[in-house]
Amino acid sequence: MTRVAAIDCGTNTIRLLVADVSADSGRTQEVVRLGRVTRLGRGVDRTGELDPAALEATLEAAREFAVVIAETGAERVRFVATSATRDARNRDAFVAGVRDALGVDPEVVTGEEEARLSFAGAVSVVADAHPGPYLVVDLGGGSTELVLGEAEPEAAISLDVGSVRLHERHLHSDPPTQPEIEAAAVDAREALERAAAVVPLGRTATLIGVAGTITTTTAHAMGLSSYDRTRIDGAVQPTGVVLAAAQDLLAATRHERAAMPYLHPGRVDVIGAGALIWFEVVSRVFSEVQEAGGALLQVVTSEHDILDGIALGLREAVAP
């Protein structure tokens, strides 16, 4: 076994997984999993640059993670940066700051690589219980990845729609007005139209949702008294329940969302936009599967995602 550290830096959160992996293992053995909401992508859709305060908050989290990595004795570190840093003109400052904090260069991966990593992480723990093909949906702050496959990805796409991006573009009222919701839905539907041309959504046998918007929507549907990762991970819910939970979060006021015990404070403002995207994704996949002669009766939620995929990728460097 080799102890590795995987870091995923997205538009809304930066997260760390320290795990043990072996050269022939298809799974990770978790040691530490941490996350911080730093909103690195705040304003990037509008300005094209990383906000200085958000950048400093993200680098402070990276310095915190460096201490944890040293304390746990991780031998290999991989830092993956996604949507916000792909789009930012001033990402060189981010790269230099990460290098100073952790001693490694962040990999600013493509959307397709992000999708591949999310697929690997999610399917590693779900495949034994559910049939393929699997459609893994990673709904982040700046982008949403859809990837279809069985043992390996067969088709994937990254869409420039995410909870932070659509919130900043469209959902300015509290609660959002119907015209605002319709404008955001148009963005999501146009993106899904592009996705359907690349990814054969109708082949989906198991729809797997990962990342904070989806796990929070799952917690809402379950009516949890607090965020319970063990109950959310692997949860299977009827498609109609998932759609209703997403609509409920979108319609809620900021005050109502803030009172939800399973909702992280850093997601209170953007969860409505994320729920809207998830509603549109599930609806589109449901329709595509139905048109192909199948039935999407349920949706699976996984707490294993791109972080696990990054850690599993590090096993390739582990000597057998």
Side-chain angles (χ1 to χ4, degrees):
M1 302 292 286
T2 297
R3 185 154 291 179
V4 302
I7 299 172
D8 164 44
C9 185
T11 299
N12 200 44
T13 60
I14 179 171
R15 301 179 302 139
L16 166 70
L17 171 65
V18 177
D20 292 328
V21 299
S22 63
D24 57 355
S25 172
R27 296 190 180 184
T28 59
Q29 184 176 329
E30 182 177 318
V31 178
V32 174
R33 193 180 294 254
L34 297 174
R36 300 288 180 262
V37 175
T38 62
R39 195 62 61 79
L40 180 63
R42 180 172 58 231
V44 168
D45 188 60
R46 175 177 52 84
T47 67
E49 294 190 349
L50 299 172
D51 175 81
L55 175 58
E56 178 52 36
T58 302
L59 294 178
E60 178 58 34
R63 292 188 282 270
E64 176 191 352
F65 290 174
V67 174
V68 175
I69 290 168
E71 289 176 346
T72 54
E75 300 174 37
R76 304 175 191 275
V77 181
R78 185 182 182 192
F79 188 115
V80 167
T82 54
S83 178
T85 40
R86 281 199 297 268
D87 299 339
R89 288 190 297 267
N90 61 337
R91 68 182 185 180
D92 287 350
F94 168 77
V95 171
V98 170
R99 185 187 302 125
D100 182 63
L102 289 159
V104 298
D105 286 340
E107 299 176 45
V108 183
V109 297
T110 64
E112 289 70 22
E113 172 67 2
E114 186 177 355
R116 187 190 68 79
L117 291 168
S118 295
F119 182 88
V123 172
S124 68
V125 295
V126 170
D128 291 346
H130 301 281
Y134 308 100
L135 179 66
V136 176
V137 178
D138 183 346
L139 202 170
S143 65
T144 298
E145 284 67 47
L146 293 87
V147 52
L148 181 80
E150 297 246 17
E152 298 289 338
E154 298 169 19
I157 191 169
S158 180
L159 306 171
D160 281 336
V161 292
S163 61
V164 174
R165 201 181 292 267
L166 286 200
H167 170 75
E168 290 182 349
R169 282 183 189 172
H170 301 295
L171 305 186
H172 308 302
S173 302
D174 181 24
T177 65
Q178 194 57 39
E180 289 173 347
I181 291 171
E182 289 173 1
V186 167
D187 263 10
R189 290 167 191 163
E190 289 178 349
L192 287 168
E193 193 67 28
R194 297 193 298 274
V198 176
V199 181
L201 304 176
R203 291 185 52 214
T204 303
T206 300
L207 174 59
I208 307 169
V210 304
T213 286
I214 295 171
T215 58
T216 300
T217 304
T218 301
H220 183 66
M222 297 172 75
L224 298 183
S225 58
S226 63
Y227 191 94
D228 187 339
R229 186 169 179 268
T230 60
R231 293 185 63 187
I232 294 167
D233 189 30
V236 179
Q237 296 177 317
T239 305
V241 169
V242 174
L243 294 173
Q247 287 184 310
D248 196 40
L249 284 169
L250 175 60
T253 65
R254 181 183 177 87
H255 178 75
E256 289 168 340
R257 294 193 300 269
M260 296 174 181
Y262 40 77
L263 182 51
H264 190 287
R267 297 191 191 281
V268 168
D269 57 339
V270 299
I271 189 65
L276 180 149
I277 297 167
W278 187 221
F279 178 90
E280 295 296 337
V281 170
V282 175
S283 298
R284 180 63 185 256
V285 176
F286 178 89
S287 297
E288 294 274 350
V289 171
Q290 190 173 54
E291 288 179 13
L296 186 73
L297 302 179
Q298 59 191 27
V299 178
V300 179
T301 302
S302 177
E303 287 276 0
H304 297 268
D305 51 28
I306 189 173
L307 272 178
D308 300 81
I310 296 167
L312 288 168
L314 286 168
R315 69 178 174 156
E316 297 171 3
V318 178

